[in-house]
Amino acid sequence: MTTEPRRILLAVTGGIAAYKVPEIVRDLQRDGHEVRCAMTRSAARFVAPLSLQVLTGATVRQDLFDPSEEGEIDHIRLADWADLIIVAPATAHILGRMSHGLADDLVSSVLLATRAPILVAPAMNVNMWHHPATQANLDVLRERGIHFVGPGVGELACGWEGEGRMADPEEIAAQARRLLGSDSLAGETVLITAGGTAEPIDAVRSITNRSSGKMGFALAEEAAHRGARVCLVAGVTALPTPAGVERVDVETAMEMREVVLAQLDSASIVIKAAAVADFRPEVREEQKIKKASLESQDGITLRLVTNPDILAEVCAQKGDRLVVGFAAESEDVVQSALRKIKQKGCDLLVANDISRADAGFNVDTNSVYLITPDGEIEEIPLSSKREVAAQVLDRVEKLRNEKPR
Ligand code: PMT
């Protein structure tokens, strides 16, 4: 993904991972971006301001009221200067200050004053990360559109193991590049399905699955960042609509099929990340089935009928469209997916191993294989769903270059 050189402010807060900040600076500078740093007083105890000053060639601002800085960029001008602000490492404390809108030092004031997108790379002890206060702050910040990268899982500097490690510098830089956007999918209309379907049994009950919609929504957000027009057909999910994405909500597989087929003419790329029910109850009772009416019987028998295969229908009328399917496999992942791509006829199949606790349904990470009809297999190791989405779209762009419209 290529972008014009942009202005990036790295806001460093006080955690041991601050020693990795120079790597983030260098990575972004290699793309030609102008990088400046601001830091909290505690951050300056973990990484020398002079190191960052030498690397960036600019004064590293630390104080809200620094007479020696008079005439230099103040916190408002710094907030306005940035096209993107990265907070790395981000402590539990800065997350709390951000969520409450506190502005009692330079970094928090810049974060409150800026209108630029903010990317946060949290780093802290596992118990601090899982504390309800931290999680509540994260919910508030996510709701406000703050972007997050990591934290990863592993051995922590405090001696504990678990979630809380700052994402790797390359992952932070890659996410920053994505947020700065590109126009690599400009002119394309991407139709994406996400979430599970719910197949009603009666007025209150339905058969559904554990899909959260996270994978499909990550694809929609990423495609929009790359300049595509995105139509997201969302099944059962609680997720907010990503910026710049058109969304149509559906419940059942039949509704999803109807919307997908209606949108197909305008789509140049179709990505089917939804977990569509293969079966639905033959009869949907209009009223709630009363427990009392069942007590005389020994249980209840539901007859299920087969739902249409939307992906196969889309592939049957593919034309010069690119069609990407997903495959949720719990065993023999690659072999099953190789069989599935032949049956369905899509250009790319993204196979996830749903037997893993950290991949597939209802988690923030995924681990997938990208499989092509000629048997080419590329593994994407465990990464955030946003990172997986980026790699899937990188591959889609490559296929588009090989097969122009
Ligand atoms: O939503 P998340 O919690 O983030 O979880 C992500 C995910 C695991 C749901 C996603 O990564 C995924 O694998 N989606 C496809 C799940 C699935 O239905 O797999 P499948 O192997 O049963 O179906 C294969 C393909 O056919 C899929 O593209 C599916 O959308 C499509 N399909 C299936 C049945 C059907 N009746 N119509 C279809 O179009």
Side-chain angles (χ1 to χ4, degrees):
M1 184 190 294
T2 53
T3 58
E4 293 294 305
R6 308 292 279 278
R7 295 182 295 214
I8 301 172
L9 178 69
L10 245 162
V12 189
T13 69
I16 179 68
Y19 81 91
K20 295 182 183 166
V21 167
E23 284 180 62
I24 307 173
V25 173
R26 297 298 289 266
D27 202 330
L28 294 167
Q29 285 175 329
R30 274 196 287 274
D31 288 346
H33 299 304
E34 185 182 350
V35 184
R36 291 191 182 181
C37 293
M39 60 203 316
T40 60
R41 281 171 184 275
S42 339
R45 302 175 77 153
F46 289 98
V47 60
L50 188 60
S51 309
L52 298 180
Q53 184 168 319
V54 170
L55 273 178
T56 59
T59 310
V60 175
R61 294 290 313 270
Q62 295 177 58
D63 289 317
L64 197 48
F65 309 107
D66 183 350
S68 69
E69 300 291 350
E70 211 175 335
E72 290 263 314
I73 299 172
D74 62 13
H75 66 280
I76 300 297
R77 277 200 278 162
L78 201 49
D80 291 345
W81 171 85
D83 294 316
L84 172 73
I85 300 184
I86 304 174
V87 189
T91 56
H93 189 216
I94 192 72
L95 297 180
R97 280 149 80 208
M98 286 171 76
S99 87
H100 289 91
L102 302 182
D104 54 353
D105 70 355
L106 179 84
V107 165
S108 52
S109 302
V110 169
L111 291 170
L112 194 62
T114 192
R115 302 192 65 182
I118 300 175
L119 173 64
V120 173
M124 66 196 75
N125 162 271
V126 58
N127 296 332
M128 290 170 82
W129 173 251
H130 287 295
H131 194 286
T134 306
Q135 292 300 314
N137 289 331
L138 289 167
D139 289 344
V140 169
L141 295 173
R142 282 197 189 103
E143 188 66 24
R144 284 187 201 143
I146 302 291
H147 303 273
F148 285 87
V149 52
V153 178
E155 202 179 319
L156 305 175
C158 55
W160 282 75
E161 284 255 345
E163 222 174 342
R165 268 164 73 109
M166 188 175 83
D168 287 337
E170 315 85 74
E171 200 186 340
I172 297 172
Q175 190 77 311
R177 266 178 219 117
R178 258 169 239 134
L179 288 174
L180 289 168
S182 77
D183 57 0
S184 53
L185 284 176
E188 303 281 358
T189 297
V190 187
L191 176 59
I192 299 175
T193 66
T197 62
E199 309 296 329
I201 297 169
D202 65 12
V204 295
R205 304 178 180 96
S206 59
I207 300 175
T208 186
N209 59 62
R210 292 190 298 110
S211 171
S212 61
K214 288 179 179 180
M215 190 64 246
F217 275 58
L219 282 156
E221 190 174 14
E222 181 65 26
H225 269 286
R226 295 180 183 212
R229 181 186 154 227
V230 181
C231 176
L232 176 62
V233 184
V236 180
T237 171
L239 297 176
T241 312
V245 167
E246 298 159 33
R247 170 175 177 168
V248 184
D249 287 311
V250 296
E251 190 182 340
T252 64
M254 296 301 274
E255 287 168 12
M256 185 171 277
R257 172 181 179 270
E258 199 181 314
V259 175
V260 167
L261 296 182
Q263 297 284 336
L264 200 55
D265 270 353
S266 61
S268 55
I269 298 169
V270 181
I271 307 180
K272 293 228 57 271
V276 185
D278 289 315
F279 308 100
R280 67 179 185 279
E282 185 176 36
V283 177
R284 175 198 174 151
E285 299 295 341
E286 285 308 314
Q287 306 301 328
K288 180 184 172 196
I289 301 170
K290 290 201 181 346
K291 188 165 171 261
S293 73
L294 302 175
E295 275 167 359
S296 54
Q297 305 167 28
D298 183 17
I300 180 174
T301 303
L302 277 180
R303 190 178 136 70
L304 302 178
V305 292
T306 310
N307 273 328
D309 186 327
I310 311 169
L311 177 58
E313 279 190 67
V314 168
C315 289
Q317 42 189 303
K318 192 147 60 82
D320 60 4
R321 249 172 238 113
L322 282 174
V323 181
V324 180
F326 268 70
E329 305 293 347
S330 55
E331 53 184 345
D332 214 0
V333 177
V334 171
Q335 288 312 318
S336 310
L338 282 167
R339 279 193 295 276
K340 203 167 266 182
I341 194 169
K342 288 210 165 70
Q343 284 161 10
K344 305 259 187 182
C346 46
D347 298 290
L348 183 68
L349 193 73
V350 184
N352 24 216
D353 180 355
I354 57 162
S355 67
R356 291 178 61 142
D358 51 7
F361 289 88
N362 202 17
V363 285
D364 291 326
T365 47
N366 212 352
S367 157
V368 303
Y369 295 91
L370 302 187
I371 293 176
T372 59
D374 50 14
E376 201 187 312
I377 301 163
E378 181 192 347
E379 183 177 4
I380 302 179
L382 191 72
S383 320
S384 67
K385 283 190 173 164
R386 185 67 195 267
E387 177 60 31
V388 172
Q391 299 219 27
V392 170
L393 290 177
D394 284 349
R395 180 56 86 92
V396 166
E397 287 179 14
K398 201 166 152 227
L399 289 172
R400 173 55 86 218
N401 290 337
E402 289 162 16
K403 182 185 164 187
R405 274 190 294 157

Tab-separated table of all heavy atoms in Angstrom, residues 28 84 86 119-120 147-150 169-181 222 384 386-387 390:
chain	number	residue	atom	x	y	z
A	28	LEU	N	8.376	4.197	10.063
A	28	LEU	CA	7.509	5.183	9.392
A	28	LEU	C	8.330	6.156	8.546
A	28	LEU	O	7.898	6.587	7.473
A	28	LEU	CB	6.682	5.939	10.436
A	28	LEU	CG	5.668	5.056	11.189
A	28	LEU	CD1	5.127	5.791	12.405
A	28	LEU	CD2	4.531	4.643	10.265
A	84	LEU	N	-1.914	11.978	11.820
A	84	LEU	CA	-2.209	10.763	12.590
A	84	LEU	C	-1.426	10.838	13.894
A	84	LEU	O	-0.270	11.283	13.891
A	84	LEU	CB	-1.755	9.516	11.804
A	84	LEU	CG	-1.818	8.188	12.551
A	84	LEU	CD1	-3.267	7.735	12.716
A	84	LEU	CD2	-1.039	7.091	11.810
A	86	ILE	N	-0.093	8.454	17.052
A	86	ILE	CA	0.057	7.083	17.579
A	86	ILE	C	0.428	7.204	19.056
A	86	ILE	O	1.380	7.915	19.395
A	86	ILE	CB	1.185	6.327	16.843
A	86	ILE	CG1	0.936	6.316	15.332
A	86	ILE	CG2	1.313	4.907	17.377
A	86	ILE	CD1	2.091	5.707	14.530
A	119	LEU	N	-4.288	6.239	16.884
A	119	LEU	CA	-4.018	4.792	16.965
A	119	LEU	C	-3.341	4.518	18.303
A	119	LEU	O	-2.319	5.141	18.615
A	119	LEU	CB	-3.100	4.376	15.814
A	119	LEU	CG	-2.581	2.942	15.831
A	119	LEU	CD1	-3.726	1.940	15.682
A	119	LEU	CD2	-1.562	2.724	14.707
A	120	VAL	N	-3.893	3.615	19.080
A	120	VAL	CA	-3.381	3.359	20.423
A	120	VAL	C	-2.797	1.946	20.496
A	120	VAL	O	-3.453	0.978	20.077
A	120	VAL	CB	-4.529	3.516	21.452
A	120	VAL	CG1	-4.075	3.088	22.835
A	120	VAL	CG2	-5.026	4.958	21.480
A	147	HIS	N	-8.638	3.976	17.306
A	147	HIS	CA	-8.185	2.696	16.740
A	147	HIS	C	-7.182	2.045	17.694
A	147	HIS	O	-6.409	2.739	18.345
A	147	HIS	CB	-7.516	2.924	15.384
A	147	HIS	CG	-8.432	3.610	14.426
A	147	HIS	ND1	-9.310	2.935	13.629
A	147	HIS	CD2	-8.617	4.929	14.165
A	147	HIS	CE1	-10.000	3.793	12.910
A	147	HIS	NE2	-9.597	5.008	13.214
A	148	PHE	N	-7.184	0.719	17.712
A	148	PHE	CA	-6.267	-0.005	18.601
A	148	PHE	C	-5.454	-1.013	17.821
A	148	PHE	O	-5.934	-1.580	16.845
A	148	PHE	CB	-7.059	-0.735	19.700
A	148	PHE	CG	-7.571	0.207	20.753
A	148	PHE	CD1	-8.792	0.840	20.587
A	148	PHE	CD2	-6.815	0.500	21.868
A	148	PHE	CE1	-9.265	1.741	21.524
A	148	PHE	CE2	-7.272	1.402	22.817
A	148	PHE	CZ	-8.492	2.016	22.647
A	149	VAL	N	-4.236	-1.209	18.275
A	149	VAL	CA	-3.407	-2.287	17.733
A	149	VAL	C	-2.824	-3.020	18.942
A	149	VAL	O	-2.287	-2.386	19.841
A	149	VAL	CB	-2.321	-1.741	16.764
A	149	VAL	CG1	-1.498	-0.628	17.362
A	149	VAL	CG2	-1.421	-2.867	16.270
A	150	GLY	N	-3.058	-4.355	18.999
A	150	GLY	CA	-2.628	-5.127	20.163
A	150	GLY	C	-3.563	-4.875	21.335
A	150	GLY	O	-4.649	-4.326	21.148
A	169	PRO	N	6.598	-3.307	16.807
A	169	PRO	CA	6.719	-2.035	16.074
A	169	PRO	C	6.263	-2.144	14.615
A	169	PRO	O	5.589	-1.248	14.113
A	169	PRO	CB	8.211	-1.713	16.174
A	169	PRO	CG	8.622	-2.330	17.464
A	169	PRO	CD	7.817	-3.592	17.596
A	170	GLU	N	6.591	-3.286	13.943
A	170	GLU	CA	6.167	-3.398	12.525
A	170	GLU	C	4.651	-3.428	12.413
A	170	GLU	O	4.081	-2.895	11.464
A	170	GLU	CB	6.677	-4.676	11.834
A	170	GLU	CG	8.109	-5.052	12.053
A	170	GLU	CD	8.261	-5.846	13.330
A	170	GLU	OE1	7.886	-7.024	13.360
A	170	GLU	OE2	8.773	-5.277	14.310
A	171	GLU	N	3.994	-4.084	13.392
A	171	GLU	CA	2.540	-4.172	13.324
A	171	GLU	C	1.925	-2.782	13.558
A	171	GLU	O	0.949	-2.407	12.907
A	171	GLU	CB	2.024	-5.170	14.362
A	171	GLU	CG	0.626	-5.662	14.026
A	171	GLU	CD	0.001	-6.537	15.100
A	171	GLU	OE1	0.744	-7.087	15.930
A	171	GLU	OE2	-1.239	-6.638	15.086
A	172	ILE	N	2.540	-2.018	14.472
A	172	ILE	CA	2.028	-0.663	14.748
A	172	ILE	C	2.200	0.200	13.497
A	172	ILE	O	1.282	0.910	13.069
A	172	ILE	CB	2.758	-0.049	15.964
A	172	ILE	CG1	2.459	-0.883	17.219
A	172	ILE	CG2	2.344	1.408	16.167
A	172	ILE	CD1	3.265	-0.499	18.440
A	173	ALA	N	3.388	0.095	12.872
A	173	ALA	CA	3.636	0.913	11.669
A	173	ALA	C	2.692	0.488	10.540
A	173	ALA	O	2.165	1.342	9.810
A	173	ALA	CB	5.099	0.772	11.241
A	174	ALA	N	2.448	-0.825	10.425
A	174	ALA	CA	1.558	-1.301	9.350
A	174	ALA	C	0.142	-0.777	9.561
A	174	ALA	O	-0.533	-0.341	8.629
A	174	ALA	CB	1.561	-2.829	9.314
A	175	GLN	N	-0.294	-0.798	10.816
A	175	GLN	CA	-1.644	-0.303	11.122
A	175	GLN	C	-1.724	1.207	10.856
A	175	GLN	O	-2.732	1.695	10.359
A	175	GLN	CB	-1.939	-0.607	12.596
A	175	GLN	CG	-3.356	-0.389	13.000
A	175	GLN	CD	-4.268	-1.516	12.522
A	175	GLN	OE1	-4.230	-1.896	11.359
A	175	GLN	NE2	-5.076	-2.034	13.398
A	176	ALA	N	-0.635	1.919	11.185
A	176	ALA	CA	-0.606	3.368	10.934
A	176	ALA	C	-0.731	3.642	9.438
A	176	ALA	O	-1.494	4.514	9.008
A	176	ALA	CB	0.699	3.953	11.468
A	177	ARG	N	-0.010	2.863	8.637
A	177	ARG	CA	-0.077	3.025	7.176
A	177	ARG	C	-1.505	2.867	6.700
A	177	ARG	O	-1.995	3.612	5.876
A	177	ARG	CB	0.762	1.944	6.510
A	177	ARG	CG	2.138	2.406	6.212
A	177	ARG	CD	2.967	1.298	5.600
A	177	ARG	NE	4.280	1.424	6.175
A	177	ARG	CZ	4.881	0.529	6.930
A	177	ARG	NH1	4.315	-0.617	7.185
A	177	ARG	NH2	6.060	0.772	7.413
A	178	ARG	N	-2.173	1.861	7.267
A	178	ARG	CA	-3.555	1.606	6.859
A	178	ARG	C	-4.453	2.764	7.219
A	178	ARG	O	-5.305	3.177	6.440
A	178	ARG	CB	-4.066	0.349	7.558
A	178	ARG	CG	-4.048	-0.796	6.622
A	178	ARG	CD	-4.283	-2.064	7.346
A	178	ARG	NE	-3.138	-2.897	7.118
A	178	ARG	CZ	-2.500	-3.574	8.014
A	178	ARG	NH1	-2.890	-3.555	9.259
A	178	ARG	NH2	-1.465	-4.279	7.677
A	179	LEU	N	-4.241	3.315	8.418
A	179	LEU	CA	-5.109	4.426	8.836
A	179	LEU	C	-4.873	5.656	7.977
A	179	LEU	O	-5.773	6.466	7.767
A	179	LEU	CB	-4.875	4.753	10.309
A	179	LEU	CG	-5.442	3.706	11.262
A	179	LEU	CD1	-5.043	4.008	12.690
A	179	LEU	CD2	-6.951	3.652	11.147
A	180	LEU	N	-3.644	5.786	7.481
A	180	LEU	CA	-3.377	6.935	6.608
A	180	LEU	C	-4.065	6.739	5.263
A	180	LEU	O	-4.231	7.674	4.491
A	180	LEU	CB	-1.869	7.120	6.429
A	180	LEU	CG	-1.167	7.634	7.693
A	180	LEU	CD1	0.339	7.516	7.553
A	180	LEU	CD2	-1.558	9.068	7.994
A	181	GLY	N	-4.438	5.499	5.001
A	181	GLY	CA	-5.275	5.217	3.825
A	181	GLY	C	-4.506	5.209	2.519
A	181	GLY	O	-3.343	5.559	2.435
A	222	GLU	N	-11.353	-1.997	6.257
A	222	GLU	CA	-10.098	-1.952	5.497
A	222	GLU	C	-10.351	-1.581	4.035
A	222	GLU	O	-9.623	-0.770	3.453
A	222	GLU	CB	-9.413	-3.327	5.614
A	222	GLU	CG	-8.093	-3.459	4.902
A	222	GLU	CD	-7.002	-2.573	5.477
A	222	GLU	OE1	-7.060	-2.223	6.672
A	222	GLU	OE2	-6.095	-2.201	4.710
A	384	SER	N	-4.295	-9.956	14.282
A	384	SER	CA	-5.589	-9.313	14.534
A	384	SER	C	-6.452	-9.481	13.280
A	384	SER	O	-5.927	-9.631	12.167
A	384	SER	CB	-5.378	-7.830	14.818
A	384	SER	OG	-4.910	-7.195	13.649
A	386	ARG	N	-8.058	-7.283	11.788
A	386	ARG	CA	-7.787	-6.163	10.888
A	386	ARG	C	-6.563	-6.478	10.016
A	386	ARG	O	-6.532	-6.181	8.825
A	386	ARG	CB	-7.587	-4.889	11.724
A	386	ARG	CG	-7.417	-3.627	10.921
A	386	ARG	CD	-8.699	-3.252	10.179
A	386	ARG	NE	-8.439	-2.264	9.159
A	386	ARG	CZ	-8.543	-0.960	9.343
A	386	ARG	NH1	-8.927	-0.494	10.505
A	386	ARG	NH2	-8.262	-0.118	8.365
A	387	GLU	N	-5.555	-7.091	10.638
A	387	GLU	CA	-4.341	-7.440	9.896
A	387	GLU	C	-4.667	-8.528	8.861
A	387	GLU	O	-4.203	-8.476	7.711
A	387	GLU	CB	-3.270	-7.918	10.895
A	387	GLU	CG	-1.961	-8.379	10.287
A	387	GLU	CD	-1.251	-7.314	9.475
A	387	GLU	OE1	-1.376	-6.124	9.801
A	387	GLU	OE2	-0.590	-7.691	8.484
A	390	ALA	N	-6.367	-6.979	6.012
A	390	ALA	CA	-5.425	-6.255	5.139
A	390	ALA	C	-4.724	-7.230	4.194
A	390	ALA	O	-4.554	-6.961	2.999
A	390	ALA	CB	-4.402	-5.509	5.993
